[in-house]
Amino acid sequence: MASRAVTQLYDDDLRPSGLRVTQYSILAMIARMGEANLRQLEDTLAIDQTTLTRSLNLLERDRVIERVPHSDGRIKALRLTSKGRRALETARPLWARAQDKVLRELGTTAWADAQRRLTHLLRIAVKKRKLSRGRRQGQPRSVPRRRSLVPG
């Protein structure tokens, strides 16, 4: 519930840009990386593939991102279009305003603590996702040894 409330706060402030906070995060990451593929965005942003694909399709439909060739022909890279760069420029100060509201409410110490805890939680989630993905791709699953209940 808290994540939905925080998302709504950012979405409300970002509304004039036409972007939602998830879309803003995707555009900001693509801008930071120059180009990115689906797997990079999924891992970096910790967004599930279904949600990410849906968001990317909308961003592509709105012509703020475009698919471009990658050195590995099986992969499609994504990059911002000029419209995407403008959308991001418009959204940045709106995102900063939302961030300032959060900081004013929490205070810098509580914000730093929340960031530290959420970063730790993110690392755990990403690690679990990578392990789960490996199992889906046929990697053997590590099975813990069972201890006998009868003393040996």
Side-chain angles (χ1 to χ4, degrees):
M1 290 182 112
S3 64
R4 276 186 286 206
V6 172
T7 297
Q8 188 62 51
L9 182 146
Y10 281 88
D11 281 346
D12 288 347
D13 279 4
L14 283 169
R15 189 166 286 117
S17 74
L19 297 174
R20 299 181 65 90
V21 71
T22 302
Q23 295 170 321
Y24 173 82
S25 298
I26 292 167
L27 293 182
M29 187 55 64
I30 293 172
R32 187 175 298 126
M33 298 172 86
E35 285 184 0
N37 64 49
L38 183 69
R39 176 62 51 87
Q40 289 171 318
L41 291 171
E42 187 180 339
D43 289 345
T44 306
L45 297 171
I47 298 175
D48 69 272
Q49 189 173 4
T50 302
T51 301
L52 180 59
T53 300
R54 188 179 317 118
S55 294
L56 291 172
N57 288 338
L58 292 172
L59 292 169
E60 189 174 21
R61 180 201 69 194
D62 294 342
R63 300 186 196 290
V64 293
I65 62 168
E66 61 186 353
R67 295 181 191 271
V68 295
H70 187 273
S71 58
D72 180 341
R74 299 169 296 173
I75 297 172
K76 289 291 185 186
L78 302 157
R79 73 173 165 214
L80 297 183
T81 62
S82 56
K83 183 178 180 181
R85 286 188 293 279
R86 287 191 305 273
L88 191 55
E89 287 172 20
T90 300
R92 274 192 176 119
L94 301 172
W95 182 89
R97 183 174 68 194
Q99 183 71 8
D100 287 344
K101 286 180 186 177
V102 171
L103 284 172
R104 276 195 310 274
E105 289 296 321
L106 283 179
T108 54
T109 302
W111 174 249
D113 184 51
Q115 269 193 309
R116 183 180 53 74
R117 291 170 189 252
L118 289 170
T119 298
H120 180 70
L121 184 59
L122 176 62
R123 277 194 217 108
I124 292 168
V126 167
K127 184 177 180 180
K128 184 174 179 173
R129 175 179 290 157
K130 286 180 180 179
L131 290 172
S132 173
R133 185 184 299 145
R135 281 189 223 122
R136 285 194 313 260
Q137 294 174 354
Q139 292 177 357
R141 185 174 158 180
S142 172
V143 179
R145 290 176 41 181
R146 294 188 181 180
R147 288 189 270 160
S148 172
L149 295 176
V150 179

